[in-house]
Amino acid sequence: MNPAAPDTPDTSATPDTSATPDVPTTPDTPAAPGIPVTPGGPAAPAAFADERLARAALTRTVEPGDEHAGRWIRRYGATGFLERLLRPDGGAHSDEGAFPGTGRKRVASWRLRATAAEPARDLDTVHALGGRFLVPGDTEWPRQLDDLGDARPVGLWLRGPADLRTWALRSVALVGARACTPYGAHVATDLATGLAKKGWVVVSGAAYGIDAAAHRGALAADGATVAVLACGIDVPYPRGHDRLIRRVAEQGLVAGELPPGSHPAPSRFILRNRVIAALTRGTVVVEAQHRSGSLSTVRAAARLGRHTMGVPGPVTSALSAGVHELLRGDATLVTDAEEIVELVGDMGQLAPARRGPVLPRDLLAPATAHVLEAVPARGPTPTTAIARRAGTHPDETLAKLYELHSLGFVERYGEGWQLTNTATQASNARRGGT
């Protein structure tokens, strides 16, 4: 072998075109399929060398929750996945080469979307809104999303001043029917307000009905709330919640997997629900029919090992039928914020004991209460008659009657005794006194 001298380049060697990614496109060097073209020529795969930029592009390339794509991203990384997807020979050997076991139509769909992706523009759009784009590995990335495995979000687009990871550590999902009843809206608002006052973050989907009631309840208590959207974070959906979503972005967080400008689709709502379930420590359902989409959030939470809870409603209401079915299974019945915190909170955060009101009659000794029960409801009755009804000696009965008289239960009327004509004051406690 005769190696070339240091000052004499070896002209027989093939030029290394990979070292010159910005060479303009010519008829002899056509642009590779799937590589975005810039005014100066096609962008080389190195254009996605930055992981954040690559993941921003992937939010337009793959649908949320696509486990096929998630498997290859886990294996090759976001930049490696795009490089294999956009390389010139990717279309000819998609099944056998770049992505074995993945259908050609799926790969073709990825490639078509990747070609049109403009991640730098999407990042600029979100930054102009005061938002940001999170990727796995960021300090703010919620680690619990990793429990989704290959269905983990590629990244999350965010608006709002709070730290998502910190908030997610102490959060509860409140979901339910869109066409809820006044009862359901009241309960959802009450639960959200109670959780917010206890320092918990309320997570929901900003939809009509229970979702909106949950967000408004947290906002009314000056609490923390997160809206996870099934569209771009710059797209108010539903339109009627434009002001609500802006309030959430100002006081809490608006999050989503889809890039700016993306509009919702029916399947994206179901896929969005897995993120709500994974972010939070438990999911509460308030009103849901048997086929309600909100039940998918509970099923996802159960698969992830999170707490699942339901609020019961009237057995005659179809809107509560799905919740009741959950409660017949592994879900836990809850009726207020204290009971929710008992499940999802730290050890020792127990809900107060529940019991009915303590009435003055409950404090009587058994023998005295027995004599009181023998006093007829109407008309004065002699002591001897009361003693016969109570089965006690007349002298003992008389002593108990005087005791009851001093306590205000009975009164003397001539030679007989009768109940005091005073109504027992009802307890004003919502669920009974202590």
Side-chain angles (χ1 to χ4, degrees), residues 368-418:
T368 307
H370 186 60
V371 172
L372 178 61
E373 292 172 356
V375 179
R378 294 187 180 183
T381 305
T383 303
T384 54
I386 296 174
R388 283 195 303 269
R389 297 186 62 176
T392 57
H393 192 277
D395 293 341
E396 181 183 355
T397 301
L398 184 61
K400 299 299 182 184
L401 286 171
Y402 274 113
E403 180 183 348
L404 291 169
H405 177 66
S406 66
L407 295 173
F409 287 98
V410 297
E411 59 186 3
R412 191 73 180 264
Y413 191 85
E415 295 298 322
W417 298 86
Q418 65 183 13

mmCIF file of all heavy atoms in Angstrom, residues 368-418:
data_model
loop_
_atom_site.group_PDB
_atom_site.id
_atom_site.type_symbol
_atom_site.label_atom_id
_atom_site.label_comp_id
_atom_site.label_asym_id
_atom_site.label_seq_id
_atom_site.Cartn_x
_atom_site.Cartn_y
_atom_site.Cartn_z
ATOM 1 N N THR A 368 -83.408 4.653 82.818
ATOM 2 C CA THR A 368 -84.176 5.893 82.688
ATOM 3 C C THR A 368 -84.808 5.986 81.304
ATOM 4 O O THR A 368 -85.974 6.393 81.158
ATOM 5 C CB THR A 368 -83.268 7.104 82.943
ATOM 6 O OG1 THR A 368 -82.605 6.943 84.205
ATOM 7 C CG2 THR A 368 -84.059 8.395 82.942
ATOM 8 N N ALA A 369 -84.055 5.624 80.262
ATOM 9 C CA ALA A 369 -84.585 5.657 78.901
ATOM 10 C C ALA A 369 -85.735 4.668 78.754
ATOM 11 O O ALA A 369 -86.706 4.927 78.020
ATOM 12 C CB ALA A 369 -83.472 5.339 77.899
ATOM 13 N N HIS A 370 -85.673 3.549 79.485
ATOM 14 C CA HIS A 370 -86.737 2.550 79.409
ATOM 15 C C HIS A 370 -88.046 3.106 79.980
ATOM 16 O O HIS A 370 -89.134 2.873 79.416
ATOM 17 C CB HIS A 370 -86.301 1.306 80.194
ATOM 18 C CG HIS A 370 -87.248 0.166 80.079
ATOM 19 N ND1 HIS A 370 -87.570 -0.437 78.882
ATOM 20 C CD2 HIS A 370 -87.976 -0.495 81.030
ATOM 21 C CE1 HIS A 370 -88.444 -1.409 79.073
ATOM 22 N NE2 HIS A 370 -88.705 -1.463 80.396
ATOM 23 N N VAL A 371 -87.954 3.847 81.078
ATOM 24 C CA VAL A 371 -89.145 4.462 81.651
ATOM 25 C C VAL A 371 -89.691 5.544 80.721
ATOM 26 O O VAL A 371 -90.913 5.672 80.543
ATOM 27 C CB VAL A 371 -88.825 5.043 83.045
ATOM 28 C CG1 VAL A 371 -89.992 5.870 83.576
ATOM 29 C CG2 VAL A 371 -88.482 3.921 84.021
ATOM 30 N N LEU A 372 -88.819 6.315 80.108
ATOM 31 C CA LEU A 372 -89.264 7.371 79.183
ATOM 32 C C LEU A 372 -90.037 6.764 78.020
ATOM 33 O O LEU A 372 -91.040 7.318 77.559
ATOM 34 C CB LEU A 372 -88.063 8.170 78.682
ATOM 35 C CG LEU A 372 -88.343 9.278 77.669
ATOM 36 C CD1 LEU A 372 -89.271 10.331 78.288
ATOM 37 C CD2 LEU A 372 -87.051 9.924 77.197
ATOM 38 N N GLU A 373 -89.613 5.628 77.559
ATOM 39 C CA GLU A 373 -90.306 4.973 76.446
ATOM 40 C C GLU A 373 -91.694 4.492 76.844
ATOM 41 O O GLU A 373 -92.573 4.318 75.988
ATOM 42 C CB GLU A 373 -89.469 3.788 75.953
ATOM 43 C CG GLU A 373 -88.177 4.200 75.278
ATOM 44 C CD GLU A 373 -87.290 3.002 74.977
ATOM 45 O OE1 GLU A 373 -87.663 1.875 75.375
ATOM 46 O OE2 GLU A 373 -86.228 3.203 74.364
ATOM 47 N N ALA A 374 -91.895 4.282 78.158
ATOM 48 C CA ALA A 374 -93.201 3.799 78.621
ATOM 49 C C ALA A 374 -94.211 4.908 78.801
ATOM 50 O O ALA A 374 -95.406 4.641 79.010
ATOM 51 C CB ALA A 374 -93.026 3.035 79.942
ATOM 52 N N VAL A 375 -93.784 6.169 78.735
ATOM 53 C CA VAL A 375 -94.711 7.293 78.868
ATOM 54 C C VAL A 375 -95.480 7.440 77.560
ATOM 55 O O VAL A 375 -94.876 7.594 76.493
ATOM 56 C CB VAL A 375 -93.962 8.599 79.199
ATOM 57 C CG1 VAL A 375 -94.938 9.765 79.310
ATOM 58 C CG2 VAL A 375 -93.172 8.443 80.482
ATOM 59 N N PRO A 376 -96.828 7.377 77.574
ATOM 60 C CA PRO A 376 -97.608 7.491 76.335
ATOM 61 C C PRO A 376 -97.379 8.825 75.633
ATOM 62 O O PRO A 376 -97.033 9.836 76.252
ATOM 63 C CB PRO A 376 -99.061 7.347 76.810
ATOM 64 C CG PRO A 376 -98.962 6.655 78.125
ATOM 65 C CD PRO A 376 -97.677 7.115 78.739
ATOM 66 N N ALA A 377 -97.587 8.820 74.338
ATOM 67 C CA ALA A 377 -97.347 10.028 73.545
ATOM 68 C C ALA A 377 -98.395 11.094 73.814
ATOM 69 O O ALA A 377 -98.123 12.284 73.664
ATOM 70 C CB ALA A 377 -97.327 9.677 72.062
ATOM 71 N N ARG A 378 -99.603 10.689 74.205
ATOM 72 C CA ARG A 378 -100.684 11.668 74.403
ATOM 73 C C ARG A 378 -101.366 11.454 75.759
ATOM 74 O O ARG A 378 -101.592 10.328 76.188
ATOM 75 C CB ARG A 378 -101.731 11.534 73.302
ATOM 76 C CG ARG A 378 -101.208 11.913 71.922
ATOM 77 C CD ARG A 378 -102.330 11.926 70.906
ATOM 78 N NE ARG A 378 -101.843 12.296 69.589
ATOM 79 C CZ ARG A 378 -102.638 12.440 68.524
ATOM 80 N NH1 ARG A 378 -103.953 12.248 68.655
ATOM 81 N NH2 ARG A 378 -102.125 12.768 67.360
ATOM 82 N N GLY A 379 -101.688 12.567 76.395
ATOM 83 C CA GLY A 379 -102.475 12.554 77.631
ATOM 84 C C GLY A 379 -101.663 12.155 78.850
ATOM 85 O O GLY A 379 -100.720 11.363 78.754
ATOM 86 N N PRO A 380 -102.023 12.727 79.998
ATOM 87 C CA PRO A 380 -101.348 12.369 81.242
ATOM 88 C C PRO A 380 -101.669 10.928 81.648
ATOM 89 O O PRO A 380 -102.782 10.438 81.442
ATOM 90 C CB PRO A 380 -101.900 13.383 82.248
ATOM 91 C CG PRO A 380 -103.208 13.818 81.691
ATOM 92 C CD PRO A 380 -103.076 13.745 80.202
ATOM 93 N N THR A 381 -100.677 10.256 82.229
ATOM 94 C CA THR A 381 -100.807 8.846 82.612
ATOM 95 C C THR A 381 -100.334 8.681 84.043
ATOM 96 O O THR A 381 -99.276 9.199 84.411
ATOM 97 C CB THR A 381 -99.964 7.955 81.672
ATOM 98 O OG1 THR A 381 -100.341 8.217 80.329
ATOM 99 C CG2 THR A 381 -100.191 6.482 81.992
ATOM 100 N N PRO A 382 -101.096 7.929 84.873
ATOM 101 C CA PRO A 382 -100.674 7.721 86.260
ATOM 102 C C PRO A 382 -99.351 6.964 86.335
ATOM 103 O O PRO A 382 -98.982 6.208 85.431
ATOM 104 C CB PRO A 382 -101.823 6.911 86.868
ATOM 105 C CG PRO A 382 -102.987 7.147 85.971
ATOM 106 C CD PRO A 382 -102.430 7.355 84.606
ATOM 107 N N THR A 383 -98.697 7.157 87.486
ATOM 108 C CA THR A 383 -97.404 6.502 87.684
ATOM 109 C C THR A 383 -97.546 4.990 87.629
ATOM 110 O O THR A 383 -96.689 4.290 87.064
ATOM 111 C CB THR A 383 -96.801 6.934 89.031
ATOM 112 O OG1 THR A 383 -96.694 8.354 89.066
ATOM 113 C CG2 THR A 383 -95.449 6.310 89.255
ATOM 114 N N THR A 384 -98.611 4.460 88.215
ATOM 115 C CA THR A 384 -98.790 3.003 88.239
ATOM 116 C C THR A 384 -98.945 2.429 86.833
ATOM 117 O O THR A 384 -98.429 1.348 86.534
ATOM 118 C CB THR A 384 -100.018 2.649 89.076
ATOM 119 O OG1 THR A 384 -101.170 3.379 88.589
ATOM 120 C CG2 THR A 384 -99.805 2.993 90.549
ATOM 121 N N ALA A 385 -99.646 3.175 85.984
ATOM 122 C CA ALA A 385 -99.810 2.690 84.600
ATOM 123 C C ALA A 385 -98.476 2.706 83.863
ATOM 124 O O ALA A 385 -98.145 1.789 83.093
ATOM 125 C CB ALA A 385 -100.843 3.549 83.878
ATOM 126 N N ILE A 386 -97.680 3.731 84.103
ATOM 127 C CA ILE A 386 -96.359 3.799 83.457
ATOM 128 C C ILE A 386 -95.464 2.677 83.971
ATOM 129 O O ILE A 386 -94.717 2.051 83.204
ATOM 130 C CB ILE A 386 -95.722 5.178 83.716
ATOM 131 C CG1 ILE A 386 -96.558 6.286 83.057
ATOM 132 C CG2 ILE A 386 -94.290 5.215 83.193
ATOM 133 C CD1 ILE A 386 -96.094 7.688 83.382
ATOM 134 N N ALA A 387 -95.577 2.379 85.304
ATOM 135 C CA ALA A 387 -94.771 1.301 85.867
ATOM 136 C C ALA A 387 -95.144 -0.037 85.253
ATOM 137 O O ALA A 387 -94.264 -0.870 84.981
ATOM 138 C CB ALA A 387 -94.948 1.265 87.382
ATOM 139 N N ARG A 388 -96.455 -0.288 85.043
ATOM 140 C CA ARG A 388 -96.872 -1.549 84.428
ATOM 141 C C ARG A 388 -96.321 -1.653 83.008
ATOM 142 O O ARG A 388 -95.859 -2.704 82.575
ATOM 143 C CB ARG A 388 -98.404 -1.648 84.419
ATOM 144 C CG ARG A 388 -99.023 -2.000 85.761
ATOM 145 C CD ARG A 388 -100.463 -2.441 85.610
ATOM 146 N NE ARG A 388 -101.285 -1.427 84.956
ATOM 147 C CZ ARG A 388 -101.942 -0.484 85.623
ATOM 148 N NH1 ARG A 388 -101.852 -0.418 86.946
ATOM 149 N NH2 ARG A 388 -102.659 0.397 84.968
ATOM 150 N N ARG A 389 -96.386 -0.573 82.261
ATOM 151 C CA ARG A 389 -95.869 -0.599 80.868
ATOM 152 C C ARG A 389 -94.361 -0.785 80.820
ATOM 153 O O ARG A 389 -93.833 -1.435 79.922
ATOM 154 C CB ARG A 389 -96.242 0.702 80.141
ATOM 155 C CG ARG A 389 -97.736 0.903 79.984
ATOM 156 C CD ARG A 389 -98.051 2.121 79.141
ATOM 157 N NE ARG A 389 -97.529 1.979 77.778
ATOM 158 C CZ ARG A 389 -97.734 2.878 76.806
ATOM 159 N NH1 ARG A 389 -98.434 3.978 77.077
ATOM 160 N NH2 ARG A 389 -97.232 2.682 75.606
ATOM 161 N N ALA A 390 -93.654 -0.231 81.826
ATOM 162 C CA ALA A 390 -92.193 -0.361 81.854
ATOM 163 C C ALA A 390 -91.739 -1.655 82.510
ATOM 164 O O ALA A 390 -90.586 -2.061 82.347
ATOM 165 C CB ALA A 390 -91.579 0.839 82.588
ATOM 166 N N GLY A 391 -92.653 -2.283 83.279
ATOM 167 C CA GLY A 391 -92.275 -3.508 83.980
ATOM 168 C C GLY A 391 -91.361 -3.249 85.153
ATOM 169 O O GLY A 391 -90.517 -4.092 85.476
ATOM 170 N N THR A 392 -91.532 -2.102 85.798
ATOM 171 C CA THR A 392 -90.691 -1.739 86.933
ATOM 172 C C THR A 392 -91.558 -1.450 88.153
ATOM 173 O O THR A 392 -92.781 -1.290 88.048
ATOM 174 C CB THR A 392 -89.845 -0.488 86.609
ATOM 175 O OG1 THR A 392 -90.724 0.580 86.244
ATOM 176 C CG2 THR A 392 -88.872 -0.772 85.471
ATOM 177 N N HIS A 393 -90.942 -1.377 89.333
ATOM 178 C CA HIS A 393 -91.675 -1.070 90.559
ATOM 179 C C HIS A 393 -92.132 0.380 90.511
ATOM 180 O O HIS A 393 -91.424 1.255 90.018
ATOM 181 C CB HIS A 393 -90.763 -1.299 91.778
ATOM 182 C CG HIS A 393 -91.485 -1.297 93.062
ATOM 183 N ND1 HIS A 393 -91.810 -0.125 93.746
ATOM 184 C CD2 HIS A 393 -91.987 -2.318 93.819
ATOM 185 C CE1 HIS A 393 -92.458 -0.429 94.843
ATOM 186 N NE2 HIS A 393 -92.582 -1.775 94.936
ATOM 187 N N PRO A 394 -93.343 0.663 91.059
ATOM 188 C CA PRO A 394 -93.849 2.047 91.016
ATOM 189 C C PRO A 394 -92.919 3.062 91.675
ATOM 190 O O PRO A 394 -92.783 4.181 91.158
ATOM 191 C CB PRO A 394 -95.183 1.945 91.751
ATOM 192 C CG PRO A 394 -95.629 0.540 91.533
ATOM 193 C CD PRO A 394 -94.375 -0.284 91.544
ATOM 194 N N ASP A 395 -92.280 2.662 92.793
ATOM 195 C CA ASP A 395 -91.369 3.613 93.446
ATOM 196 C C ASP A 395 -90.162 3.933 92.553
ATOM 197 O O ASP A 395 -89.730 5.096 92.443
ATOM 198 C CB ASP A 395 -90.901 3.049 94.790
ATOM 199 C CG ASP A 395 -92.031 2.953 95.798
ATOM 200 O OD1 ASP A 395 -93.047 3.643 95.589
ATOM 201 O OD2 ASP A 395 -91.884 2.186 96.766
ATOM 202 N N GLU A 396 -89.614 2.909 91.936
ATOM 203 C CA GLU A 396 -88.470 3.129 91.041
ATOM 204 C C GLU A 396 -88.911 3.954 89.829
ATOM 205 O O GLU A 396 -88.187 4.841 89.361
ATOM 206 C CB GLU A 396 -87.906 1.785 90.589
ATOM 207 C CG GLU A 396 -86.691 1.918 89.677
ATOM 208 C CD GLU A 396 -86.190 0.572 89.178
ATOM 209 O OE1 GLU A 396 -86.717 -0.471 89.607
ATOM 210 O OE2 GLU A 396 -85.263 0.576 88.329
ATOM 211 N N THR A 397 -90.122 3.667 89.356
ATOM 212 C CA THR A 397 -90.639 4.422 88.208
ATOM 213 C C THR A 397 -90.805 5.886 88.564
ATOM 214 O O THR A 397 -90.475 6.781 87.766
ATOM 215 C CB THR A 397 -91.978 3.821 87.756
ATOM 216 O OG1 THR A 397 -91.786 2.457 87.409
ATOM 217 C CG2 THR A 397 -92.539 4.579 86.560
ATOM 218 N N LEU A 398 -91.335 6.147 89.752
ATOM 219 C CA LEU A 398 -91.538 7.530 90.170
ATOM 220 C C LEU A 398 -90.208 8.282 90.267
ATOM 221 O O LEU A 398 -90.103 9.450 89.853
ATOM 222 C CB LEU A 398 -92.265 7.562 91.521
ATOM 223 C CG LEU A 398 -92.642 8.954 92.058
ATOM 224 C CD1 LEU A 398 -93.582 9.665 91.084
ATOM 225 C CD2 LEU A 398 -93.263 8.846 93.444
ATOM 226 N N ALA A 399 -89.162 7.621 90.772
ATOM 227 C CA ALA A 399 -87.848 8.259 90.869
ATOM 228 C C ALA A 399 -87.315 8.614 89.478
ATOM 229 O O ALA A 399 -86.752 9.702 89.267
ATOM 230 C CB ALA A 399 -86.888 7.329 91.602
ATOM 231 N N LYS A 400 -87.503 7.694 88.542
ATOM 232 C CA LYS A 400 -87.033 7.961 87.176
ATOM 233 C C LYS A 400 -87.843 9.081 86.519
ATOM 234 O O LYS A 400 -87.312 9.882 85.750
ATOM 235 C CB LYS A 400 -87.105 6.677 86.332
ATOM 236 C CG LYS A 400 -86.238 5.542 86.846
ATOM 237 C CD LYS A 400 -84.770 5.925 86.866
ATOM 238 C CE LYS A 400 -83.905 4.758 87.339
ATOM 239 N NZ LYS A 400 -82.474 5.153 87.443
ATOM 240 N N LEU A 401 -89.150 9.155 86.851
ATOM 241 C CA LEU A 401 -89.975 10.209 86.266
ATOM 242 C C LEU A 401 -89.545 11.586 86.768
ATOM 243 O O LEU A 401 -89.538 12.560 86.003
ATOM 244 C CB LEU A 401 -91.447 9.951 86.593
ATOM 245 C CG LEU A 401 -92.100 8.805 85.813
ATOM 246 C CD1 LEU A 401 -93.479 8.492 86.383
ATOM 247 C CD2 LEU A 401 -92.201 9.164 84.332
ATOM 248 N N TYR A 402 -89.191 11.660 88.041
ATOM 249 C CA TYR A 402 -88.714 12.946 88.562
ATOM 250 C C TYR A 402 -87.356 13.315 87.918
ATOM 251 O O TYR A 402 -87.080 14.493 87.651
ATOM 252 C CB TYR A 402 -88.590 12.892 90.084
ATOM 253 C CG TYR A 402 -89.882 13.208 90.789
ATOM 254 C CD1 TYR A 402 -90.560 12.242 91.526
ATOM 255 C CD2 TYR A 402 -90.427 14.492 90.713
ATOM 256 C CE1 TYR A 402 -91.760 12.527 92.171
ATOM 257 C CE2 TYR A 402 -91.623 14.788 91.358
ATOM 258 C CZ TYR A 402 -92.284 13.810 92.072
ATOM 259 O OH TYR A 402 -93.478 14.105 92.703
ATOM 260 N N GLU A 403 -86.535 12.314 87.679
ATOM 261 C CA GLU A 403 -85.251 12.571 86.983
ATOM 262 C C GLU A 403 -85.518 13.089 85.571
ATOM 263 O O GLU A 403 -84.893 14.068 85.127
ATOM 264 C CB GLU A 403 -84.426 11.284 86.934
ATOM 265 C CG GLU A 403 -83.087 11.456 86.223
ATOM 266 C CD GLU A 403 -82.318 10.149 86.109
ATOM 267 O OE1 GLU A 403 -82.692 9.164 86.771
ATOM 268 O OE2 GLU A 403 -81.329 10.129 85.335
ATOM 269 N N LEU A 404 -86.459 12.458 84.891
ATOM 270 C CA LEU A 404 -86.802 12.894 83.535
ATOM 271 C C LEU A 404 -87.434 14.277 83.553
ATOM 272 O O LEU A 404 -87.250 15.076 82.620
ATOM 273 C CB LEU A 404 -87.755 11.882 82.881
ATOM 274 C CG LEU A 404 -87.138 10.508 82.554
ATOM 275 C CD1 LEU A 404 -88.232 9.516 82.169
ATOM 276 C CD2 LEU A 404 -86.126 10.643 81.412
ATOM 277 N N HIS A 405 -88.192 14.569 84.620
ATOM 278 C CA HIS A 405 -88.793 15.883 84.753
ATOM 279 C C HIS A 405 -87.716 16.965 84.902
ATOM 280 O O HIS A 405 -87.816 18.059 84.304
ATOM 281 C CB HIS A 405 -89.740 15.895 85.968
ATOM 282 C CG HIS A 405 -90.353 17.233 86.227
ATOM 283 N ND1 HIS A 405 -91.246 17.835 85.371
ATOM 284 C CD2 HIS A 405 -90.186 18.130 87.255
ATOM 285 C CE1 HIS A 405 -91.622 19.009 85.842
ATOM 286 N NE2 HIS A 405 -90.984 19.216 87.007
ATOM 287 N N SER A 406 -86.684 16.675 85.695
ATOM 288 C CA SER A 406 -85.606 17.656 85.880
ATOM 289 C C SER A 406 -84.820 17.877 84.597
ATOM 290 O O SER A 406 -84.238 18.952 84.394
ATOM 291 C CB SER A 406 -84.663 17.180 86.999
ATOM 292 O OG SER A 406 -83.975 16.000 86.607
ATOM 293 N N LEU A 407 -84.797 16.865 83.717
ATOM 294 C CA LEU A 407 -84.077 16.993 82.444
ATOM 295 C C LEU A 407 -84.949 17.569 81.342
ATOM 296 O O LEU A 407 -84.470 17.797 80.222
ATOM 297 C CB LEU A 407 -83.536 15.620 82.007
ATOM 298 C CG LEU A 407 -82.466 15.010 82.929
ATOM 299 C CD1 LEU A 407 -82.143 13.585 82.488
ATOM 300 C CD2 LEU A 407 -81.200 15.862 82.925
ATOM 301 N N GLY A 408 -86.219 17.780 81.630
ATOM 302 C CA GLY A 408 -87.093 18.407 80.651
ATOM 303 C C GLY A 408 -87.780 17.462 79.700
ATOM 304 O O GLY A 408 -88.363 17.909 78.708
ATOM 305 N N PHE A 409 -87.770 16.155 79.989
ATOM 306 C CA PHE A 409 -88.402 15.192 79.078
ATOM 307 C C PHE A 409 -89.892 15.012 79.364
ATOM 308 O O PHE A 409 -90.679 14.758 78.445
ATOM 309 C CB PHE A 409 -87.697 13.830 79.168
ATOM 310 C CG PHE A 409 -86.339 13.806 78.526
ATOM 311 C CD1 PHE A 409 -85.191 13.955 79.290
ATOM 312 C CD2 PHE A 409 -86.206 13.642 77.155
ATOM 313 C CE1 PHE A 409 -83.952 13.929 78.702
ATOM 314 C CE2 PHE A 409 -84.959 13.606 76.558
ATOM 315 C CZ PHE A 409 -83.817 13.777 77.333
ATOM 316 N N VAL A 410 -90.286 15.073 80.641
ATOM 317 C CA VAL A 410 -91.684 14.880 81.000
ATOM 318 C C VAL A 410 -92.111 16.002 81.934
ATOM 319 O O VAL A 410 -91.279 16.728 82.493
ATOM 320 C CB VAL A 410 -91.905 13.508 81.688
ATOM 321 C CG1 VAL A 410 -91.561 12.366 80.752
ATOM 322 C CG2 VAL A 410 -91.103 13.424 82.982
ATOM 323 N N GLU A 411 -93.427 16.121 82.112
ATOM 324 C CA GLU A 411 -93.965 17.123 83.022
ATOM 325 C C GLU A 411 -95.146 16.528 83.795
ATOM 326 O O GLU A 411 -95.836 15.621 83.293
ATOM 327 C CB GLU A 411 -94.397 18.379 82.265
ATOM 328 C CG GLU A 411 -95.451 18.133 81.209
ATOM 329 C CD GLU A 411 -95.740 19.384 80.382
ATOM 330 O OE1 GLU A 411 -95.076 20.411 80.612
ATOM 331 O OE2 GLU A 411 -96.624 19.321 79.511
ATOM 332 N N ARG A 412 -95.368 17.055 85.016
ATOM 333 C CA ARG A 412 -96.462 16.580 85.873
ATOM 334 C C ARG A 412 -97.745 17.298 85.479
ATOM 335 O O ARG A 412 -97.757 18.509 85.287
ATOM 336 C CB ARG A 412 -96.130 16.861 87.342
ATOM 337 C CG ARG A 412 -97.062 16.182 88.346
ATOM 338 C CD ARG A 412 -96.776 14.710 88.391
ATOM 339 N NE ARG A 412 -97.663 14.038 89.344
ATOM 340 C CZ ARG A 412 -97.333 13.768 90.600
ATOM 341 N NH1 ARG A 412 -96.139 14.135 91.062
ATOM 342 N NH2 ARG A 412 -98.165 13.127 91.383
ATOM 343 N N TYR A 413 -98.791 16.516 85.305
ATOM 344 C CA TYR A 413 -100.100 17.089 84.964
ATOM 345 C C TYR A 413 -101.140 16.425 85.848
ATOM 346 O O TYR A 413 -101.586 15.309 85.590
ATOM 347 C CB TYR A 413 -100.418 16.852 83.488
ATOM 348 C CG TYR A 413 -101.610 17.628 82.994
ATOM 349 C CD1 TYR A 413 -101.474 18.938 82.557
ATOM 350 C CD2 TYR A 413 -102.877 17.041 82.988
ATOM 351 C CE1 TYR A 413 -102.563 19.648 82.107
ATOM 352 C CE2 TYR A 413 -103.974 17.749 82.531
ATOM 353 C CZ TYR A 413 -103.805 19.057 82.097
ATOM 354 O OH TYR A 413 -104.904 19.773 81.655
ATOM 355 N N GLY A 414 -101.518 17.135 86.941
ATOM 356 C CA GLY A 414 -102.449 16.550 87.908
ATOM 357 C C GLY A 414 -101.793 15.365 88.604
ATOM 358 O O GLY A 414 -100.720 15.476 89.185
ATOM 359 N N GLU A 415 -102.469 14.205 88.527
ATOM 360 C CA GLU A 415 -101.945 12.993 89.149
ATOM 361 C C GLU A 415 -101.145 12.132 88.163
ATOM 362 O O GLU A 415 -100.700 11.042 88.521
ATOM 363 C CB GLU A 415 -103.103 12.152 89.716
ATOM 364 C CG GLU A 415 -103.858 12.815 90.842
ATOM 365 C CD GLU A 415 -102.974 13.075 92.051
ATOM 366 O OE1 GLU A 415 -102.116 12.221 92.347
ATOM 367 O OE2 GLU A 415 -103.114 14.140 92.671
ATOM 368 N N GLY A 416 -101.005 12.645 86.974
ATOM 369 C CA GLY A 416 -100.307 11.851 85.959
ATOM 370 C C GLY A 416 -99.073 12.552 85.390
ATOM 371 O O GLY A 416 -98.700 13.666 85.799
ATOM 372 N N TRP A 417 -98.475 11.857 84.423
ATOM 373 C CA TRP A 417 -97.259 12.357 83.753
ATOM 374 C C TRP A 417 -97.471 12.319 82.237
ATOM 375 O O TRP A 417 -98.142 11.420 81.715
ATOM 376 C CB TRP A 417 -96.048 11.497 84.102
ATOM 377 C CG TRP A 417 -95.699 11.491 85.564
ATOM 378 C CD1 TRP A 417 -96.214 10.687 86.539
ATOM 379 C CD2 TRP A 417 -94.753 12.346 86.203
ATOM 380 N NE1 TRP A 417 -95.659 10.973 87.749
ATOM 381 C CE2 TRP A 417 -94.750 12.000 87.587
ATOM 382 C CE3 TRP A 417 -93.918 13.383 85.783
ATOM 383 C CZ2 TRP A 417 -93.951 12.626 88.528
ATOM 384 C CZ3 TRP A 417 -93.105 14.004 86.711
ATOM 385 C CH2 TRP A 417 -93.117 13.641 88.057
ATOM 386 N N GLN A 418 -96.897 13.309 81.582
ATOM 387 C CA GLN A 418 -96.964 13.336 80.120
ATOM 388 C C GLN A 418 -95.665 13.901 79.552
ATOM 389 O O GLN A 418 -94.894 14.549 80.265
ATOM 390 C CB GLN A 418 -98.137 14.184 79.642
ATOM 391 C CG GLN A 418 -98.026 15.666 79.990
ATOM 392 C CD GLN A 418 -99.246 16.456 79.556
ATOM 393 O OE1 GLN A 418 -100.279 15.874 79.211
ATOM 394 N NE2 GLN A 418 -99.131 17.778 79.574
#
